[in-house]
Amino acid sequence: MKIRLATAHSTVVTRCWMASAVVALAVVAMPVSALAAKQARPAKVVEAMAPRNAGEPIMAIVSIKSQQVTFYDADGWIARAPVSTGVGGRETPAGVFAILEKNKDHRSNMYDDAHMPHMQRITWNGVALHGGPLPGYAASHGCVRMPFGFADRMFDKTRIGMRVIVSPMDAAPVDISHPVLLVPKPDVIAAVPARAEAATREAAEAATAAAEAKKLVAATAREAKPLPAALRKLEAAKTRADAQLAAADKALAAASTDQAKARAEELQQKAAAKAADLTAQLEATKSDTTAKLDAAAAAKEAAKAADAKKTATATAATDAKLAAEPVSIYISRETQKLYVRRNTHKPAPDGGGEVFDFSIEVPVTIRDAGKPIGTHVFTAMANDGAGLRWSAVTIDDGDTAKAALDRITIPQEVLDRIGPTALPRSSIVISDEPLSAETNYRTEFVTVLNNHPQGGFVTRKPTPRPDVDFASGDDSYDDGFSMFFPRERAPQGNAMRRRSGQNEPPVYQRNWWE
């Protein structure tokens, strides 16, 4: 019995040794590149919440490389989860965005009414964060799919205007300080409500005065309108009366009998009286016409001044109100301009989203303007004593965040106008890129890294109806999620545009929502 057990044990050991040897030989035989790739495979992203009480999210960063999204509040990350971004031909565009609209139960009008729960739109041409299936790799049609439960939990925590950064690489905010970053003045911020109230009242008074001035212009114009015609009529009558008087004078001089002289004198007196009366009327009408035309002109000038004051006070009132909102600044090396945007929180007149103020657009000085600067997002995370604590996120090749700030000179009038009231959540974006064509009156700044695929911005056609025959070869295209995102006739190629207009820009399609 002992011999049998020993023999069995020996057999097992031998087999284990042989298996180990086979594995070792397989590892040795494995190509170095394949082994390196296997060892370099990133760790699987798992859903996680920070072990602390989280504040309101200030930004979300989507990493296309790691297929994950991370939300940050003023003190750091608060939630992260795996995502699925766009596939080849329908890539999620890398760049800087903000939440424009939220819809808990959104359905696509592009992909057969596909359900996109807890949708948070970041472009009006169809890119959004929403709940969806996650296969563990990029699989969407351009949106950022998040786990269903995660999308549900984060939906009520975010607000319209929250910054969403889509980075081609892994990125995270780091603390930064620099003289270019806005420094608020607490006393000015404290005075904002009273200033806004006074400015609003002054604007209302100016609007009322402008309306009254407009009414006066209309009234004086009505009074003056018939006077030129009446004046011309009197002048014509006076001319005829003068002619009649001259004829009467001539007839009187030519009269040879007493009877003829008497008749001529009577006609001459009547003509003289008529001419005198018309002269008096003409002079009075001339004086009245001059006075009323002068009054109409004065009313017009007063209305113009009142309208200018109305515009100025309305601008001041808007600025005063917006001083209570975080400010966003965008600096483009491509256009050499600085843009300012703030949310008015007024609903867009054509529906969908809110209106953003974009009244400031000025030239900006960038040292070494021909040299790439990269794309950097600077965010005021929280108050820090009398100032603000800023973070920086870099998502494109170029300068470091600090070096990029070193090259920028913001016009003093802009600093004086918006710096003293800068609040947490304010931001400065510096980029080589111009503003995307997606930027409009109902968006925050939208910029796309044009040296990366941006298939999410390519014009896309709705999914064909099920009864439409596919061309041969279409059946081979399937990303494995047709029940959620039915396939199109064929995937489109990447839309790439180099900077400085070297290639044609991609074609954008507006007024449709994914």
Side-chain angles (χ1 to χ4, degrees), residues 98-370:
I99 294 175
L100 307 175
E101 180 192 36
K102 300 172 67 172
N103 186 344
K104 280 192 174 184
D105 194 31
H106 181 69
R107 289 189 173 274
S108 172
N109 66 356
M110 286 299 295
Y111 299 115
D112 291 345
D113 202 38
H115 192 205
M116 298 179 177
H118 301 99
M119 184 275 293
Q120 303 190 60
R121 184 181 303 284
I122 61 173
T123 78
W124 287 113
N125 84 335
V127 182
L129 311 177
H130 63 77
L134 303 183
Y137 48 83
S140 81
H141 283 66
C143 283
V144 177
R145 298 187 204 161
M146 302 182 292
F148 288 106
F150 185 84
D152 184 3
R153 287 192 296 276
M154 298 308 298
F155 186 85
D156 291 328
K157 299 181 184 298
T158 62
R159 67 162 81 171
I160 299 295
M162 189 198 80
R163 178 76 68 208
V164 177
I165 301 169
V166 180
S167 176
M169 55 191 178
D170 293 337
V174 295
D175 289 344
I176 189 171
S177 60
H178 195 279
V180 171
L181 299 173
L182 303 178
V183 178
K185 295 181 179 179
D187 57 331
V188 176
I189 292 176
V192 164
R195 177 180 161 226
E197 182 180 354
T200 300
R201 183 170 57 252
E202 186 178 357
E205 292 170 354
T208 300
E212 292 300 322
K214 191 175 181 180
K215 290 180 182 177
L216 182 60
V217 168
T220 54
R222 280 195 303 271
E223 290 181 4
K225 186 176 180 179
L227 293 178
L231 190 60
R232 289 193 297 272
K233 186 176 180 180
L234 281 172
E235 287 174 340
K238 172 70 167 53
T239 298
R240 289 193 299 272
D242 288 342
Q244 291 172 357
L245 179 59
D249 288 341
K250 188 175 181 181
L252 180 59
S256 56
T257 63
D258 291 341
Q259 186 177 4
K261 285 182 180 181
R263 197 164 51 248
E265 285 177 356
E266 182 181 358
L267 292 173
Q268 192 267 348
Q269 288 174 0
K270 288 182 179 180
K274 185 176 182 181
D277 182 53
L278 286 170
T279 298
Q281 288 185 49
L282 183 60
E283 292 303 320
T285 301
K286 280 182 177 180
S287 178
D288 189 35
T289 298
T290 300
K292 289 184 176 178
L293 288 176
D294 287 347
K300 202 169 183 180
E301 288 301 315
K304 194 181 294 183
D307 198 52
K309 184 176 181 181
K310 172 187 172 183
T311 300
T313 54
T315 299
T318 298
D319 276 357
K321 292 176 183 177
L322 291 176
E325 293 293 324
V327 61
S328 294
I329 297 175
Y330 188 86
I331 299 172
S332 168
R333 185 180 67 86
E334 175 82 8
T335 63
Q336 299 286 294
K337 284 188 176 181
L338 176 150
Y339 311 83
V340 175
R341 245 172 169 71
R342 281 179 289 195
N343 194 349
T344 67
H345 297 293
K346 295 178 181 177
D350 50 355
E354 298 176 348
V355 175
F356 285 77
D357 176 77
F358 52 95
S359 56
I360 301 178
E361 178 180 329
V362 296
V364 69
T365 301
I366 302 177
R367 193 178 73 251
D368 299 329

Side-chain angles (χ1 to χ4, degrees), residues 329-331 373-378 404-405 408 428-432:
I329 297 175
Y330 188 86
I331 299 172
I373 201 169
T375 296
H376 314 273
V377 182
F378 304 91
L405 289 172
I408 302 297
I428 300 175
V429 180
I430 299 175
S431 180
D432 291 305

